[in-house]
Amino acid sequence: MATLRVCSLYPDLMNIYADRGNIAVLRARCEWRGLGFEHLASGLGEPLDPEAADFFYMGGGQDRDQVAVAEDMVETKREALHAAQDRDAVILAVCGGYQLLGSSYQLGDLALPGVGLVDLRTVREPGPRLIGNCAISSDLGSGPRIIAGFENHGGRTYLGEGEPPLGRVLNGFGNNGRDGFEGVHRGNTIGTYLHGPLLPKNIWLADRLIELALGIELEPLADDSLEEAAHMSARRAAGV
Amino acid sequence: MMRLKLAIARALRVLTRRVGRRGGTTLPGRVLLRLDPRTIAVLGKRLERGSVVVSATNGKTTTSAMLAAVLERGGAEVVNNRAGSNMNWGVATALLDAGDAPGQIGLFEVDEAWLAPVARDLDPSLVLLSNLFRDQLDRYGELELLADRWAELVAERDGRSTFVLNADDPLVADLGRDRRRVVYFGVEDRSHSLESLEHASDSKRCRNCGHEYLYDAVYLGHLGRYRCPNCGRERPQPQVAADKVTLRGMSGSDVRITTPAGAIELSLPLPGLYNVYNALAATAAALELGASPAQVREALGEFAAAFGRVERLRVNGREVAILLVKNPAGANEVLRTLTLEDGALDLWIALNDGIADGRDISWIWDADFEVLAGRARHITCSGTRAEEMALRLKYAGVDGEIAVERDLARSLDSAVAGGNGAPLYALPTYTALLELRDLLADRGVARRWSD
C-alpha cells in the first residue's frame, strides 16, 4: 500500500491557528484506508529533501516568527521547494505560510523575501484586518466544490497576471477584499487565507489532496456523515 | 451634571433588572459612558480605599472572587464586577452600583484588551496580572501585541501601582523587570511538571532576545521554570510560592503557600493546578493589601466556585458540574482535571461561536481532547458549532458514544437523562454558559446571573 509522507515546515513556529488539525485529519484519513502515513518536520536552519515527502504543509505564525521563517526559508529551503513543486508534490500553505509563497511580503517597513513558487505579492494597506468566516468555490480537478473556513489577515495579497486563484469568494474577503479571488492554485501548489484547521471543515479537500499527492484515486469511507455535517456547519457559519 | 447622568443610569438599571435576564450588568454602564466618557475616572475617585484591577486570559473571574472573599473576611467593603462583565461598561456599572459609601475598595476584573484604558482611568494601587494564553485571535490579535500593550501600561504606571505578577509566565514576569514595586508568585512543586510543553503553548521565545527558552519544569501551557540560554533572562524568584501541592481530583487541592508573612496550609475546594494559580495570585495580592495569612486560609478554604467555574448544580435529580472552557490552555486544564476522576466520564460540551466566544472555533484543534480517548462513556455535543465539536472528538480518538444536538435545552435534557448515577460534566463556552445559566434559572435550578 502507498504511504503518504507529510512534511510540516517550521511546525513549532508556524502553528498559530491550530494547524495540527490538518495533519490529524490527513493521518486519520490515510490510516482508516489502510494507507501508510509518515509525518516529518523541517525547522529553522534545517535542510529540506524534496524527495522525502509527497505533501509539504506550512501554517501561520506571529509576525515576529514569520520574519525569522521568511529569511530562513529563502536561505535553506527555496531550491528544495522548487524541486518539490516540479515533481508535483502537494504544497499547502495556509495564512502566514501562504504569504511567503510569492515574491515578497511587505510587513510594516520590512520587505520579507518570498520563495517565488507562485506569482503573487502581499502588502499591508490601510484598513482593518480582514477577519471572519469565509466560503469559496474551488475546482481541484474533481468539479466545483465549496471550501469553508475562517480568515484573519492584515496583509492583502494580489496575484500576478494570469496566476490562477484557489477559488472565487462566495462570502468573506479573500485575498484582498476587492477582486473576489481567494488563494492561489498552480499545479499542486496551493495557498489560502482560510487558516488553521481547514481540512476538518472540508473533508473532501483532505481526500482530494491525498489523491493529488499520491497520484491515486481514493475509495470513499464507509461513514462520513459526521464529516459531512461538520462541513455543512462550517458553510452555515460562512452563510453559504 | 454627573448627578443627572447617574440618575438616568440608575433608572435604567432598575428597569433592566426588573425585566430580568442579562443586561443589568452592562447597559447602565454603557449608557453612562456614552453620556460621559470620564465616568470610570470620576466614579473611581469616590472609592476611599482606592482600587485593584485583575487581568489574565484565564482565571480572572475566579481570582477576583477569591481576592474579594479574603478582603471581605477582613471586613472590607468590596465593590466589584462579580458577574464577569469585564469590559469598561461592566466596571462603570459596578461603580454606579457602589454609590459613594465611605470605606469602599474597588476590585475589578478587566478584559485583557481593556486593561490599559480602564487602568488609566482607575489609577489602581495594585495591578494583578496572571497569564497570557492564546485566546480569541480574531478579537485580541496576536499574543505578543497584547503583551506589548500591557508592557506600555506597566511602564507608564511604574511607581504608582504595585504589580503582582506570575513569575511562571514569561510574558507576564517580564513586565516586572526593573519596576519599582513588584511581587511575584509561582509554583515551586516540581512533582507537577509535565513531560513537555503542551501543543498549544505560546511564548516559547525570549521576550528580550528571541531565543528559545529552556524549561526545567512545565506546569501548565507555557507556565513553568524557564530561562533563556542566550541572554540569561530567567524566571524571577517568587516571594509567594506554592511549594507543596496535592491535587485531589475534582474535590480540590491541598496547597502549602510560603509567603513573607509565613506559610499558609490551604485546603482549596476547587480542582486543578489552574485553581492553585488563582489562589496563589489572590494570596499574593491580598497580603499586599494588608490581609493576614489566617484570613487567606479561612476565606479560600471555604471558597465557593465563581459563576460557571466548577459550579455544581442538580438538574432533574442528577449532579451537573459546570466548567467553562474557552481556549486551549484553559480547556486542557479542565480536561486534565477531569481525567483524574475514576471511571468513564459523561460529558456535555457546548461550542458556540458568538462574538464573546471568538467567532473562530479553530482553537478546539489546539486543545488536547485526545486525553478523553478511552475515558468517555457518553458525550453530547451542543451549541452553534456542535457538529464540528463532535468531529474534533472523533479525530481525537474518543471512542465513547457521541451525540449531536445543537439546541442547548434539548441536548442538556437528553445528556442528563442518559445518566448512570455519576455526575455529568458540562463544558460550555462563554455564551453557551450564559444561555445555560438562563435556562437553569428559568427552571429554578440556579440563581439568575445578575443576582
Side-chain angles (χ1 to χ4, degrees):
Chain A
M1 266 317 235
T3 291
L4 182 71
R5 300 168 303 162
V6 176
C7 178
S8 288
L9 303 177
Y10 312 97
D12 56 333
L13 297 175
M14 302 297 272
N15 69 4
I16 192 171
Y17 289 106
D19 293 278
R20 75 163 165 179
N22 294 322
I23 306 299
V25 161
L26 291 173
R27 176 191 297 273
R29 305 297 292 175
C30 286
E31 288 177 352
W32 292 341
R33 289 186 169 94
L35 297 171
F37 183 88
E38 276 175 28
H39 189 209
L40 318 162
S42 180
L44 285 179
E46 291 167 4
L48 187 66
D49 176 1
E51 305 285 333
D54 322 293
F55 193 131
F56 295 85
Y57 179 80
M58 185 162 169
Q62 303 203 56
D63 282 352
R64 191 174 69 172
D65 294 332
Q66 209 179 339
V67 174
V69 164
E71 284 160 6
D72 186 80
M73 196 154 80
V74 168
E75 230 165 83
T76 67
K77 298 182 180 61
R78 177 177 10 209
E79 280 165 37
L81 283 170
H82 279 274
Q85 183 182 48
D86 290 344
R87 57 175 281 266
D88 280 338
V90 167
I91 301 174
L92 175 61
V94 168
C95 200
Y98 168 40
Q99 294 172 330
L100 302 179
L101 285 189
S103 52
S104 69
Y105 175 34
Q106 192 70 33
L107 181 70
D109 298 334
L110 276 176
L112 300 184
V115 287
L117 289 177
V118 287
D119 181 13
L120 60 83
R121 64 194 172 84
T122 300
V123 296
R124 286 280 168 109
E125 290 171 3
R129 288 181 74 84
L130 305 179
I131 303 175
N133 288 294
C134 179
I136 66 174
S137 171
S138 177
D139 190 339
L140 290 175
S142 56
R145 299 288 298 261
I146 286 172
I147 303 176
F150 198 93
E151 60 183 322
N152 182 349
H153 49 108
R156 269 70 165 168
T157 295
Y158 294 92
L159 302 177
E161 187 68 35
E163 190 73 350
L166 175 60
R168 281 258 172 206
V169 175
L170 300 172
N171 216 346
F173 299 103
N175 282 343
N176 47 53
R178 290 184 185 171
D179 61 19
F181 292 138
E182 205 293 311
V184 68
H185 176 205
R186 179 196 286 189
N188 284 343
T189 301
I190 292 169
T192 177
Y193 274 123
L194 303 186
H195 71 202
L198 166 73
L199 301 183
K201 290 176 176 153
N202 305 281
I203 286 293
W204 73 265
L205 179 60
D207 284 353
R208 183 65 190 144
L209 293 177
I210 296 170
E211 289 184 334
L212 292 172
L214 295 179
I216 59 173
E217 261 184 58
L218 295 178
E219 292 298 315
L221 285 166
D223 183 5
D224 270 347
S225 53
L226 193 52
E227 282 78 356
E228 188 53 32
H231 176 59
M232 294 312 290
S233 171
R235 282 174 58 169
R236 201 169 42 239
V240 174
Chain B
M1 248 342 253
M2 195 67 196
R3 280 168 74 173
L4 175 62
K5 292 168 190 165
L6 286 175
I8 295 172
R10 265 191 222 108
L12 264 175
R13 180 184 56 191
V14 172
L15 273 177
T16 48
R17 300 212 175 141
R18 195 163 291 163
V19 176
R21 302 239 157 190
R22 308 191 293 266
T25 57
T26 64
L27 189 65
R30 277 182 200 262
V31 171
L32 206 47
L33 284 163
R34 183 66 64 83
L35 292 172
D36 188 344
R38 295 169 307 125
T39 291
I40 291 176
V42 172
L43 296 185
K45 285 205 178 63
R46 304 195 300 187
L47 299 167
E48 206 170 79
R49 294 184 57 196
S51 56
V52 172
V53 295
V54 176
S55 196
T57 305
N58 288 335
K60 51 190 173 289
T61 299
T62 299
T63 301
S64 307
M66 285 176 165
L67 182 52
V70 177
L71 297 179
E72 281 167 351
R73 182 158 286 253
E77 289 290 328
V78 179
V79 171
N80 56 6
N81 47 347
R82 274 179 206 274
S85 180
N86 58 22
M87 317 278 181
N88 65 343
W89 49 81
V91 174
T93 304
L95 286 167
L96 173 72
D97 287 350
D100 53 5
Q104 299 188 109
I105 182 169
L107 167 53
F108 304 104
E109 64 153 294
V110 183
D111 178 89
E112 305 89 283
W114 282 99
L115 174 70
V118 169
R120 279 180 190 120
D121 282 351
L122 274 177
D123 190 23
S125 61
L126 188 147
V127 177
L128 166 53
L129 303 174
S130 247
N131 54 64
L132 277 175
F133 293 112
R134 192 185 287 198
D135 183 25
Q136 294 188 35
L137 291 129
D138 54 324
R139 189 155 76 82
Y140 296 119
E142 295 178 0
L143 204 57
E144 299 263 351
L145 298 179
L146 206 49
D148 290 346
R149 273 151 74 189
W150 280 19
E152 276 168 35
L153 176 79
V154 170
E156 208 178 291
R157 298 209 49 83
D158 189 21
R160 288 193 282 163
S161 297
T162 297
F163 294 94
V164 176
L165 304 175
N166 189 344
D168 296 350
D169 185 336
L171 279 176
V172 171
D174 208 64
L175 300 170
R177 287 189 208 281
D178 309 319
R179 298 297 165 211
R180 269 171 264 185
R181 298 207 308 268
V182 178
V183 176
Y184 283 109
F185 62 90
V187 170
E188 292 274 8
D189 184 342
R190 293 194 191 209
S191 67
H192 294 283
S193 181
L194 303 172
E195 279 172 27
S196 60
L197 282 171
E198 286 170 15
H199 172 79
S201 297
D202 301 292
S203 178
K204 286 172 277 203
R205 297 180 158 266
C206 177
R207 282 283 285 172
N208 184 43
C209 73
H211 199 281
E212 219 163 304
Y213 288 121
L214 283 180
Y215 277 82
D216 294 343
V218 181
Y219 295 121
L220 186 169
H222 61 263
L223 309 190
R225 289 178 72 95
Y226 53 89
R227 69 188 165 81
C228 173
N230 184 45
C231 74
R233 280 213 178 166
E234 59 182 353
R235 167 186 183 258
Q237 191 61 34
Q239 293 96 323
V240 176
D243 68 349
K244 191 163 187 305
V245 178
T246 309
L247 299 177
R248 291 184 277 103
M250 286 298 293
S251 66
S253 310
D254 296 316
V255 190
R256 185 174 67 199
I257 303 178
T258 56
T259 80
I264 302 172
E265 297 279 353
L266 184 63
S267 175
L268 188 66
L270 297 187
L273 200 59
Y274 60 113
N275 278 312
V276 171
Y277 270 107
N278 293 335
L280 266 179
T283 300
L287 295 176
E288 195 58 28
L289 292 166
S292 70
Q295 227 172 294
V296 171
R297 190 187 66 241
E298 289 161 15
L300 297 188
E302 55 191 50
F303 181 79
F307 175 57
R309 278 74 173 180
V310 213
E311 198 177 20
R312 289 163 188 275
L313 301 165
R314 287 201 86 78
V315 180
N316 300 342
R318 185 172 188 197
E319 184 184 348
V320 177
I322 305 174
L323 301 99
L324 171 71
V325 293
K326 53 177 189 169
N327 52 38
N332 284 350
E333 277 306 294
V334 165
L335 294 171
R336 181 147 50 126
T337 304
L338 284 179
T339 56
L340 295 176
E341 292 298 285
D342 294 330
L345 301 165
D346 278 10
L347 293 103
W348 175 85
I349 306 178
L351 174 64
N352 274 2
D353 64 352
I355 289 169
D357 302 299
R359 304 299 317 271
D360 186 358
I361 60 159
S362 298
W363 67 270
I364 61 173
W365 290 90
D366 260 339
D368 295 326
F369 285 99
E370 281 74 8
V371 300
L372 292 177
R375 293 302 320 278
R377 188 186 73 97
H378 190 279
I379 303 183
T380 306
C381 296
S382 187
T384 51
R385 308 292 286 270
E387 296 88 348
E388 287 164 271
M389 186 64 239
L391 189 80
R392 173 72 186 97
L393 297 174
K394 177 175 176 179
Y395 283 79
V398 174
D399 40 8
E401 202 182 322
I402 299 175
V404 180
E405 167 58 62
R406 240 180 286 149
D407 183 81
L408 236 60
R410 274 203 298 271
S411 68
L412 184 71
D413 284 337
S414 70
V416 166
N420 56 352
L424 174 69
Y425 296 101
L427 279 52
T429 60
Y430 188 70
T431 67
L433 171 64
L434 300 185
E435 283 177 53
L436 177 64
R437 187 73 191 202
D438 284 343
L439 175 75
L440 296 178
D442 285 346
R443 295 181 180 181
V445 175
R447 291 191 309 165
R448 288 226 176 266
W449 96 306
S450 56
D451 289 352

